[in-house]
Amino acid sequence: IEMTNEGHSGLTTVEWWDQYGIGGANEITFSGYDFAIIHLGINDVSKSTPINDTQTAYQNIIDALKNANTGIKIFVCTIIPAPLYANPVAAVNSFFNVNSMISNFANQDNVYLCDLTKYSHISMGMEYSSGHLTAYGYWRMAKDLIAYIGWIMRKYPLEFRFVQFIGTDMEPD
């Protein structure tokens, strides 16, 4: 399938929205997508971004995607722990707050939670190097996302029965 990667290393959710969101200096096109996977928030923890700011930016991204793509399916991913933080105690609290906030977005229509914190094979072992994932870690995460999204589609078959019509002018019979 064709894929667009709009991940930009080192940015918080707020910084990403400010740069690439609607009205940002490097505004991207939010239209033309059937699915979106959002995995933002780890830099919010490491840079101590206020949770309300992260939540607003995250919601802005979801709203922009929904407004530009009728019927889009959005998968929000909890953040995985990273082994290096300047203040580990504060980071742990922030980590749980960000993941709780991300989980709450799955209460919206067409937004689904991929709880990578609970259901991924990423640990604090060989998947990491200096706080970032290794090539193996990214490969492992991709495999986990494929499995997780497949599970979500099987869990909610009625919500995914017309995915072939997303982004087209066609309607189901």
Side-chain angles (χ1 to χ4, degrees):
I1 62 171
E2 186 177 328
M3 184 189 98
T4 302
N5 179 0
E6 287 297 342
H8 299 278
S9 181
L11 298 179
T12 66
T13 308
V14 174
E15 292 167 341
W16 190 96
W17 176 253
D18 288 345
Q19 286 187 36
Y20 300 98
I22 296 173
N26 301 307
E27 183 176 338
I28 62 169
T29 301
F30 282 89
S31 64
Y33 297 103
D34 303 324
F35 296 90
I37 299 171
I38 304 173
H39 190 218
L40 290 165
I42 195 70
N43 291 319
D44 298 70
V45 172
S46 65
K47 294 182 180 181
S48 302
T49 304
I51 190 74
N52 290 339
D53 295 348
T54 298
Q55 183 173 0
T56 298
Y58 218 100
Q59 186 65 58
N60 288 342
I61 295 166
I62 291 171
D63 291 344
L65 286 163
K66 284 183 170 186
N67 290 335
N69 305 282
T70 303
I72 189 171
K73 306 297 185 187
I74 301 171
F75 300 91
V76 294
C77 304
T78 56
I79 58 175
I80 55 176
L84 299 176
Y85 291 111
N87 183 344
V89 174
V92 167
N93 291 332
S94 181
F95 172 82
F96 288 112
N97 290 339
V98 169
N99 276 339
S100 177
M101 181 259 324
I102 291 168
S103 297
N104 288 333
F105 284 113
N107 293 325
Q108 300 177 32
D109 286 340
N110 291 329
V111 179
Y112 305 89
L113 178 66
C114 293
D115 192 346
L116 296 179
T117 305
K118 188 172 183 180
Y119 297 112
S120 77
H121 293 89
I122 306 296
S123 65
M124 300 300 273
M126 60 194 231
E127 298 89 357
Y128 284 96
S129 174
S130 301
H132 291 91
L133 290 174
T134 62
Y136 171 75
Y138 284 113
W139 175 85
R140 183 68 258 175
M141 183 186 290
K143 291 290 192 184
D144 288 342
L145 278 171
I146 290 167
Y148 210 136
I149 291 171
W151 176 82
I152 289 169
M153 292 176 77
R154 287 186 302 278
K155 183 176 179 182
Y156 302 105
L158 293 178
E159 295 176 33
F160 288 90
R161 71 187 183 279
F162 298 125
V163 294
Q164 67 272 23
F165 298 112
I166 296 173
T168 72
D169 293 333
M170 299 176 68
E171 296 283 332
D173 292 334

